[in-house]
Amino acid sequence: RDYVEGTHLGPQNIMVFHDYDKALAHAKEVGKPLFVDFTGHNCVNCRRMEQSVWGEPGVIDILKDDVVIVSLYVDERTELPDEEKKTVVYPNGREVNLRTVGQKWSYKQISEYQVTAQPYYVMQDVDGEDLNNGSADYENHSEPQRFKDWLKDGMNDFNSQD
């Protein structure tokens, strides 16, 4: 597998991005769906999914070959560049000053999906629109076959868009 600028070796030795915009641009370039992984460094269920589900036959093949993965860490403490710092309003009306990378991804997850739990997975087309397979999470998809079925539904939806 060729190294792509902006990627890192992630779970199960799969290349993952940590920047949504770079990942989406790459997905568009290679014509693959974007697999958005809202995760956390301190998320026990995220590690469980990565260890006991991502590596399973049929699942790892899709994750390695058929999608572009972006792992967005909602607890990443790296400070945002000044031009990305801003004040946002959450759906509940609370104002927050986005100062860290994690706050940026947490805001994206909550404002777009009204979900605060991780792991939380969605698949998107090359324009950043969610595919019709809904979302996946630990509670409902920690059984490898269910996760694989969800991935396949997303792939089918993506492939039927042409």
Side-chain angles (χ1 to χ4, degrees), residues 35-51:
F35 174 89
V36 183
D37 164 27
F38 289 99
T39 187
H41 294 295
N42 301 311
C43 170
V44 173
N45 287 344
C46 299
R47 300 298 86 76
R48 285 188 182 139
M49 281 295 284
E50 292 161 3
Q51 287 158 8

Side-chain angles (χ1 to χ4, degrees), residues 76-88:
E76 175 58 56
R77 296 181 190 277
T78 304
E79 196 167 321
L80 284 168
D82 285 343
E83 65 273 11
E84 286 190 48
K85 291 179 182 172
K86 60 183 178 185
T87 301
V88 297

Side-chain angles (χ1 to χ4, degrees), residues 12-29:
Q12 303 290 346
N13 292 319
I14 301 169
M15 285 302 202
V16 299
F17 283 85
H18 295 297
D19 180 295
Y20 177 82
D21 295 323
K22 285 181 181 161
L24 184 62
H26 183 70
K28 187 172 233 161
E29 193 181 303

Side-chain angles (χ1 to χ4, degrees), residues 17-155:
F17 283 85
H18 295 297
D19 180 295
Y20 177 82
D21 295 323
K22 285 181 181 161
L24 184 62
H26 183 70
K28 187 172 233 161
E29 193 181 303
V30 296
K32 293 179 181 179
L34 185 63
F35 174 89
V36 183
D37 164 27
F38 289 99
T39 187
H41 294 295
N42 301 311
C43 170
V44 173
N45 287 344
C46 299
R47 300 298 86 76
R48 285 188 182 139
M49 281 295 284
E50 292 161 3
Q51 287 158 8
S52 60
V53 178
W54 285 30
E56 289 302 299
V59 173
I60 192 162
D61 312 302
I62 294 172
L63 294 178
K64 270 195 160 162
D65 303 329
D66 301 337
V67 299
V68 172
I69 300 176
V70 60
S71 294
L72 304 177
Y73 285 86
V74 301
D75 56 358
E76 175 58 56
R77 296 181 190 277
T78 304
E79 196 167 321
L80 284 168
D82 285 343
E83 65 273 11
E84 286 190 48
K85 291 179 182 172
K86 60 183 178 185
T87 301
V88 297
V89 179
Y90 276 80
N92 66 4
R94 190 170 62 105
E95 273 193 16
V96 174
N97 294 318
L98 297 187
R99 295 286 173 258
T100 67
V101 171
Q103 287 174 320
K104 176 182 175 178
W105 302 137
S106 178
Y107 175 70
K108 179 175 181 63
Q109 182 184 0
I110 293 167
S111 61
E112 293 179 22
Y113 302 104
Q114 288 73 56
V115 172
T116 55
Q118 294 82 38
Y120 185 77
Y121 307 112
V122 290
M123 291 175 73
Q124 297 181 336
D125 66 18
V126 296
D127 297 316
E129 298 294 322
D130 291 354
L131 296 176
N132 293 321
N133 59 334
S135 61
D137 56 40
Y138 182 76
E139 191 179 337
N140 299 297
H141 299 85
S142 58
E143 202 282 311
Q145 186 60 50
R146 292 195 66 182
F147 191 68
K148 184 165 94 175
D149 291 345
W150 175 79
L151 284 169
K152 285 187 165 174
D153 287 347
M155 291 306 303

